Amino acid sequence: MSAPQEAICRSIAPDGGLLTITATRRPRAGRADVKCSVPGAPALAGRMQQVVRLARHTEARVDSRDQVVLGLDRAPPGDWRDWELAAVLADRMVRGVYVPRAGVTANGWSDAWHLGRIDGRALAHVPDGVLAGGVNGLPHLGALNGQPDPAAGVSSARAWFPLHSGGAQDSLGWVEVSVRPLAGGQEDDAPAAPDLDPVRQAQVGAVLSAARHFDGRGQGQWRTTVRFGEPRFQGDSYQFALVMADRIARGREFLARGRVIATGCSSAWHAGKVEAVDALQAKCALIVREAAPGDRVLLPKEWEAGLQAGLIAGLREDLRARGASLACVERIGII
């Protein structure tokens, strides 16, 4: 059966009225894969685009030849997220991935759409016929078609890196990479990093592609989602942590007892090379302050001379006293 050109999914709003999400499909013609609009609420439209793109990463195959345009007829209150499930379903309905027998009204939200998980719903009283996510409802997207929990096929890993700007709010940030095996014959999709701006998304994709090339067998196998705990940051300190999270998720690295904390960048990830970043002393001081038992700290080999010269006095001993360990790394894969 061919997919429809238009699909409608509704959601119950906090005032008891209905929100209507209309999805239409048209040839992509070089445009974005998903476009969303909400009257007077561009930020909400951006969130809808993120939700739909993340949820697509639970599908074994995605046909990217069409563009899907989703429109919400009115904006709900800013903290109301129950429309998220309806947006995901409207996108699947217009592409023929989900074919309901009748009209659909759905309420549910998730903090992990890329895993297909539906965390809950804000709707307290669910009328008959409403598809409700969460407890005593739809627990995951696979259940729509009688399939297993899609999270079972996803491997995720996090690594941490210093968020340093010289202020009191400096901390460790995390990057999470989730990978799902592709069906046979598919090419790697560009990694989905919906929280980032287009320039940073392209940088993340380039880093992962080059680092996987170094593996020799890391490409052509994965659908990848990248999330950052704090998506607004500057510089390239995140790169080594991103690469490590990806390698752990793909089973290419041993796990630390605690967290992997890494900072570094590279002009040659395809050769596995790890290079230094700026602010050696400040970032090391931040790492020591935040380190916990079992953490594994990975720094560029170029910084080792600074350790030996006493520029970072007692770093290794301070980490050991906190139950953490340190390695200075020249190339990935030799850690």
Side-chain angles (χ1 to χ4, degrees), residues 63-147:
D63 188 341
S64 60
R65 292 175 295 179
D66 286 342
Q67 181 190 57
V68 173
V69 181
L70 295 112
L72 184 59
D73 63 340
R74 61 188 175 100
D79 58 351
W80 185 260
R81 297 176 56 191
D82 267 23
W83 55 265
E84 292 182 9
L85 179 57
V88 170
L89 297 184
D91 174 62
R92 294 190 168 203
M93 289 160 61
V94 82
R95 293 183 292 118
V97 177
Y98 171 53
V99 184
R101 294 183 179 180
V104 179
T105 300
N107 280 60
W109 58 269
S110 176
D111 287 329
W113 282 115
H114 63 292
L115 301 179
R117 188 180 74 205
I118 305 173
D119 291 320
R121 60 183 182 273
L123 188 65
H125 303 289
V126 181
D128 290 342
V130 172
L131 188 58
V135 178
N136 300 321
L138 188 72
H140 57 79
L141 292 174
L144 288 167
N145 298 319
Q147 296 177 349

Side-chain angles (χ1 to χ4, degrees), residues 229-282:
E230 172 48 70
R232 295 174 296 277
F233 59 89
Q234 302 294 321
D236 296 326
S237 293
Y238 73 93
Q239 288 189 9
F240 192 14
L242 170 68
V243 169
M244 289 301 300
D246 179 56
R247 290 175 63 81
I248 293 169
R250 292 187 294 112
R252 300 290 290 167
E253 290 287 350
F254 293 106
L255 298 177
R257 289 190 298 112
R259 301 170 296 178
V260 170
I261 303 171
T263 186
C265 65
S266 181
S267 59
W269 282 119
H270 64 280
K273 187 176 181 182
V274 180
E275 298 173 342
V277 289
D278 294 334
L280 177 153
Q281 289 182 280

Side-chain angles (χ1 to χ4, degrees), residues 50-59 111-116 154-158 174-182 189-196 201 204-205 208 212 222-228 242 245-246 249-250:
Q50 292 176 9
V51 165
V52 169
R53 283 178 168 167
L54 286 172
R56 285 186 177 190
H57 271 233
T58 65
E59 300 174 25
D111 287 329
W113 282 115
H114 63 292
L115 301 179
V154 176
S155 174
S156 297
R158 286 184 181 182
W174 55 259
V175 55
E176 179 184 84
V177 177
S178 300
V179 294
R180 177 185 179 89
L182 288 171
D189 293 330
D195 293 335
L196 305 181
Q201 287 186 43
V204 164
L208 289 182
R212 289 178 181 180
W222 310 102
R223 176 167 291 132
T224 306
T225 303
V226 179
R227 299 194 307 159
F228 286 84
L242 170 68
D246 179 56
R250 292 187 294 112

Side-chain angles (χ1 to χ4, degrees), residues 307-326:
L307 299 180
Q308 295 171 347
L311 296 179
I312 315 171
L315 174 63
R316 196 179 299 273
E317 291 74 18
D318 288 344
L319 288 172
R320 187 180 296 115
R322 289 176 172 265
S325 60
L326 171 68

